[in-house]
């Protein structure tokens, strides 16, 4: 039917058969989502991505041959890469930071309720990052303590225009594009353009990385 968006194509990557099967059963029955493939290890991800062209990848963190961080980094180097949500049992700060810096748009724990996982798939596909509750503040606090982080972040943000810096602050505060547009008196399309310019100038992958940088710089 004209005007009806196709379902989001999801690839599930996990070395446990039961986890892959459970996620497939849960997500494939949801309106607007189609599980198009599975992979049992990070080394299978490139071929699976070629075969299935996913919009979103649910990525396990620890796998026997190639871990989820490496697989995510390789995916993000592709032309028109899919969004990646890390779905894991591990919540150590270093694991989370490594995943986000590799380009993941989301980080959820495996005890996340099904409805939240469904929401996360739709959110990252729309350009909105998702983290498990409690992780965001922990990450921001952790980032602020990193040696030299403040100076490096301030130097990087100096390359932005004043308006772009306003958008960076709003992104770091967790505001949606619509909220930013209303607050800064601009259109949503203009906000999206500013966010895109910030990502390009600072060589970042997503809004979560913008937020981390803003907090490093003490801007939010």
């Amino acid at each position: 039917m004209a005007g009806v968006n196709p379902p989001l194509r999801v690839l599930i990557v996990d070395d446990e058969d039961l986890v892959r099967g459970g996620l497939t059963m849960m997500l494939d029955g949801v309106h607007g989502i189609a599980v198009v493939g599975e992979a049992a290890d990070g080394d299978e991800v490139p071929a699976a991505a070629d075969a299935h062209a996913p919009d979103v990848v649910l990525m396990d963190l620890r796998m026997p041959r190639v871990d989820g961080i490496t697989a995510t980094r390789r995916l993000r180097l592709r032309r028109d890469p899919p969004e990646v949500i890390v779905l894991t049992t591990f919540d150590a700060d270093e694991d989370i930071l490594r995943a986000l810096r590799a380009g993941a748009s989301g980080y959820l724990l495996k005890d996340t309720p099904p409805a939240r996982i469904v929401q996360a798939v739709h959110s990252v596909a729309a350009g909105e990052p998702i983290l498990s509750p409690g992780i965001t503040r922990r990450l921001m606090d952790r980032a602020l303590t990193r040696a030299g982080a403040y100076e490096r972040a301030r130097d990087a943000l100096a390359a932005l225009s004043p308006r772009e810096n306003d958008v960076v602050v709003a992104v770091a505060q967790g505001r949606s594009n619509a909220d930013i547009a209303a607050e800064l008196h601009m259109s949503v399309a203009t906000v999206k353009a500013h966010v895109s310019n910030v990502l390009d100038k600072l060589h970042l992958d997503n809004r979560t990385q913008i937020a981390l940088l803003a907090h490093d710089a003490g801007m939010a």
Side-chain angles (χ1 to χ4, degrees):
M1 182 185 302
V4 176
N5 293 326
L8 295 173
R9 301 171 60 83
V10 174
L11 172 67
I12 296 172
V13 183
D14 198 290
D15 61 326
E16 296 186 27
D17 293 344
L18 286 176
V19 172
R20 293 198 312 274
L23 288 170
T24 297
M25 289 181 62
M26 179 186 76
L27 291 173
D28 220 19
V30 174
H31 177 71
I33 293 177
V35 176
V36 294
E38 299 179 8
D41 204 286
D43 62 355
E44 299 176 9
V45 170
D50 287 339
H52 304 296
D55 301 301
V56 177
V57 177
L58 290 180
M59 182 81 73
D60 191 18
L61 193 63
R62 306 283 174 88
M63 292 177 283
R65 296 187 298 276
V66 174
D67 63 61
I69 302 295
T70 301
T72 297
R73 187 178 295 113
R74 290 173 179 172
L75 274 178
R76 297 303 300 172
L77 292 174
R78 298 166 67 94
R79 184 175 182 177
D80 194 22
E83 301 296 336
V84 176
I85 300 172
V86 171
L87 186 62
T88 180
T89 57
F90 300 96
D91 66 346
D93 289 356
E94 281 302 324
D95 287 332
I96 299 164
L97 284 168
R98 288 175 62 230
L100 297 178
R101 296 190 189 282
S105 297
Y107 197 105
L108 299 178
L109 301 180
K110 286 184 177 177
D111 61 0
T112 300
R116 175 78 171 171
I117 296 175
V118 171
Q119 176 193 3
V121 170
H122 285 287
S123 293
V124 299
E128 301 288 342
I130 286 289
L131 300 175
S132 284
I135 285 180
T136 302
R137 174 48 53 191
R138 232 174 67 204
L139 282 183
M140 301 314 179
D141 292 342
R142 168 72 165 75
L144 284 170
T145 65
R146 293 172 65 94
Y150 177 82
E151 289 79 11
R152 291 194 298 272
R154 298 295 290 192
D155 288 346
L157 292 168
L160 304 181
S161 70
R163 206 55 167 162
E164 288 168 345
N165 273 293
D166 290 339
V167 171
V168 165
V169 172
V171 168
Q173 292 170 342
R175 301 182 186 277
S176 67
N177 287 339
D179 289 339
I180 297 172
E183 179 179 337
L184 299 181
H185 307 290
M186 60 178 68
S187 69
V188 171
T190 300
V191 172
K192 290 180 178 179
H194 280 313
V195 171
S196 179
N197 288 338
V198 169
L199 293 172
D200 287 342
K201 287 183 178 181
L202 301 183
H203 307 292
L204 302 176
D205 289 312
N206 53 51
R207 294 166 72 102
T208 301
Q209 293 177 347
I210 292 176
L212 286 170
L213 193 65
H215 278 267
D216 278 353
M219 294 174 60

